[in-house]
Amino acid sequence: MKVTEYFERSAGTTLTSFEVLPPLKGGSMQDIFDILDPLMEFKPPFVDVTYHREEFVYKMQTSGYYEKTAIRKRPGTVGICASIMHRYGVDAVPHLICGGFSIEETENALIDLHFLGINNVLALRGDARQFEDKFTPEPNGHKFAVDLVRQIQDMNNGVYLDANIDKGSKTEFCIGVAAYPEKHFEAPNLDQDIKYLKEKVNAGASYIVTQMFFDNKKYFEFVDKCRAAGIDVPIVPGLKPLTRKYQLNSIPRKFFINFPEELVKEVAKTDEKNINQVGIEWCIAQSKELKAAGVPCLHYYTMGDSNTTIKIASSL
Ligand code: FAD
């Protein structure tokens, strides 16, 4: 079923969904099952699986020279999605990115998903590779997520890249896109970022998932701005609990978000061993307020840690 159909059928009840990362190469499907098995009691209608593009590493050759080699540390998104659907009977939402894909490769990836009966996809641009200072599309690849949304929507209309295909089989993808209540780090300002977000919706995206945030006010204000800009699709809040003290610095550096002063103060006066509890309580309070406000779904970034997510979800 499509993610948006779950929202429609929930009749105002807030759903719970989770996001998992593929295990590091060399890991097994059991690593994912170990995270998801205990989370199934919360009846997520869908589970997102992130996509991780290749990174460049320098490997020493027998000649003594270093050679630049592309490796993917976390492959397997599509296989994991199929496996999740098979094991739990829930829908899986693969993340699909522009980075590293030509438009032909994107089309082939979408055909695989379509044949597997996967009808949801989160369409993203992706980030620059490690050690590259800006995102560079593949030659003949998409520059922005909106271009990927357009390609998926074309396939939903039976339009493939090959002009010889007259009446192609229509895919049925429900397309989600990303948004940033505290602005995407490259955007000149939030209003401009929201204009581009609207372009993604106009191109065919039918729901939005936000970057993590720790201050609900930021989410509520963002939703108000989106509505004022004419974006009327569901906006799902993405949540991640703080679990370690060092994350006060690493999360803003990586995700370009701010921590509210109250949380910073609380963390500062807490021993490392109790930080997890502070993070859990904060996330529970956030979740309760968002639920009371009638958000369609609470989407938790598990980041490989189901225990923390269980404590939060079970308190709601
Ligand atoms: P876009 O919507 O393309 O926006 C990127 C930037 O370009 C923004 O600053 C925007 O304002 C600007 N922009 C957009 N359209 C235009 C235009 N037409 N002209 C000029 N400027 C424009 N990354 C992964 O690699 N794998 C994942 O699985 C993954 N999952 C994610 C899930 C969520 C919920 C979120 C919020 C992010 C996720 N990311 C993931 C990270 C994401 O790929 C990065 O944040 C990336 O930098 C931007 O992706 P986007 O889809 O928002 O890009």
Side-chain angles (χ1 to χ4, degrees):
M1 208 157 92
K2 295 183 179 185
V3 165
T4 46
E5 286 178 55
Y6 287 114
F7 297 154
E8 282 153 21
R9 288 187 187 194
S10 69
T13 312
T14 300
L15 304 171
T16 304
S17 63
F18 304 108
E19 182 168 306
V20 293
L21 278 68
L24 285 167
K25 195 184 267 189
S28 73
M29 231 1 252
Q30 191 57 44
D31 300 337
I32 296 288
F33 295 152
D34 288 345
I35 291 167
L36 285 179
D37 281 356
L39 292 175
M40 283 302 134
E41 71 168 284
F42 304 107
K43 305 203 177 340
F46 59 91
V47 171
D48 276 52
V49 184
T50 54
Y51 188 93
H52 300 257
R53 71 180 298 187
E54 83 288 2
E55 291 170 19
F56 286 130
V57 292
Y58 288 86
K59 284 191 179 162
M60 196 197 266
Q61 305 300 301
T62 43
S63 61
Y65 287 107
Y66 282 91
E67 194 176 81
K68 192 175 168 188
T69 316
I71 54 157
R72 278 190 64 206
K73 289 186 179 163
R74 294 182 185 272
T77 300
V78 176
I80 291 170
C81 284
S83 196
I84 287 174
M85 288 172 68
H86 178 68
R87 180 175 174 101
Y88 303 111
V90 303
D91 276 288
V93 185
H95 292 189
L96 193 60
I97 63 172
C98 306
F101 283 84
S102 68
I103 54 174
E104 287 79 15
E105 287 163 339
T106 298
E107 183 169 276
N108 292 340
L110 288 163
I111 289 171
D112 277 344
L113 296 177
H114 178 51
F115 287 170
L116 282 165
I118 295 172
N119 289 329
N120 296 287
V121 66
L122 196 76
L124 301 143
R125 186 196 71 179
D127 281 319
R129 285 192 193 91
Q130 214 183 358
F131 309 125
E132 286 183 350
D133 62 349
K134 65 175 175 46
F135 174 83
T136 315
E138 286 301 288
N140 200 24
H142 294 307
K143 197 170 171 194
F144 295 111
V146 66
D147 305 317
L148 175 56
V149 173
R150 289 193 183 111
Q151 183 176 8
I152 304 171
Q153 193 62 347
D154 276 349
M155 286 177 66
N156 282 345
N157 292 320
V159 178
Y160 290 70
L161 294 175
D162 186 341
N164 293 323
I165 300 174
D166 187 18
K167 282 195 182 119
S169 151
K170 290 184 181 180
T171 56
E172 294 173 52
F173 290 111
C174 168
I175 309 166
V177 288
Y180 307 82
E182 296 176 65
K183 182 183 96 60
H184 183 262
F185 71 102
E186 292 167 25
N189 58 48
L190 188 57
D191 288 339
Q192 188 63 34
D193 210 16
I194 289 174
K195 275 186 198 150
Y196 291 132
L197 178 60
K198 190 164 184 229
E199 276 185 16
K200 295 195 273 191
V201 174
N202 290 346
S206 50
Y207 72 100
I208 293 165
V209 185
T210 76
Q211 180 60 280
M212 68 180 79
F213 55 89
F214 291 83
D215 182 351
N216 284 353
K217 199 164 157 263
K218 301 261 163 91
Y219 169 83
F220 293 129
E221 286 172 1
F222 177 70
V223 173
D224 286 347
K225 270 179 169 272
C226 287
R227 301 300 179 226
I231 297 173
D232 55 5
V233 300
I235 303 178
V236 175
L239 295 168
K240 182 204 147 16
L242 186 87
T243 52
R244 303 283 298 279
K245 219 168 207 175
Y246 75 85
Q247 292 172 339
L248 272 191
N249 304 110
S250 65
I251 289 179
R253 202 167 55 233
K254 188 155 186 222
F255 298 102
F256 305 94
I257 54 111
N258 290 298
F259 283 107
E261 190 53 25
E262 198 188 332
L263 179 58
V264 175
K265 279 188 187 153
E266 193 60 36
V267 170
K269 66 180 187 206
T270 307
D271 286 344
E272 182 66 54
K273 65 177 180 349
N274 295 323
I275 295 291
N276 197 37
Q277 192 51 35
V278 170
I280 288 171
E281 282 167 20
W282 188 271
C283 194
I284 290 172
Q286 273 195 282
S287 304
K288 284 186 173 165
E289 191 183 23
L290 290 163
K291 198 172 168 181
V295 299
C297 184
L298 294 165
H299 185 70
Y300 294 103
Y301 299 114
T302 64
M303 306 267 185
D305 173 7
S306 55
N307 288 335
T308 305
T309 316
I310 289 167
K311 285 182 188 148
I312 296 161
S314 57
S315 73
L316 296 175

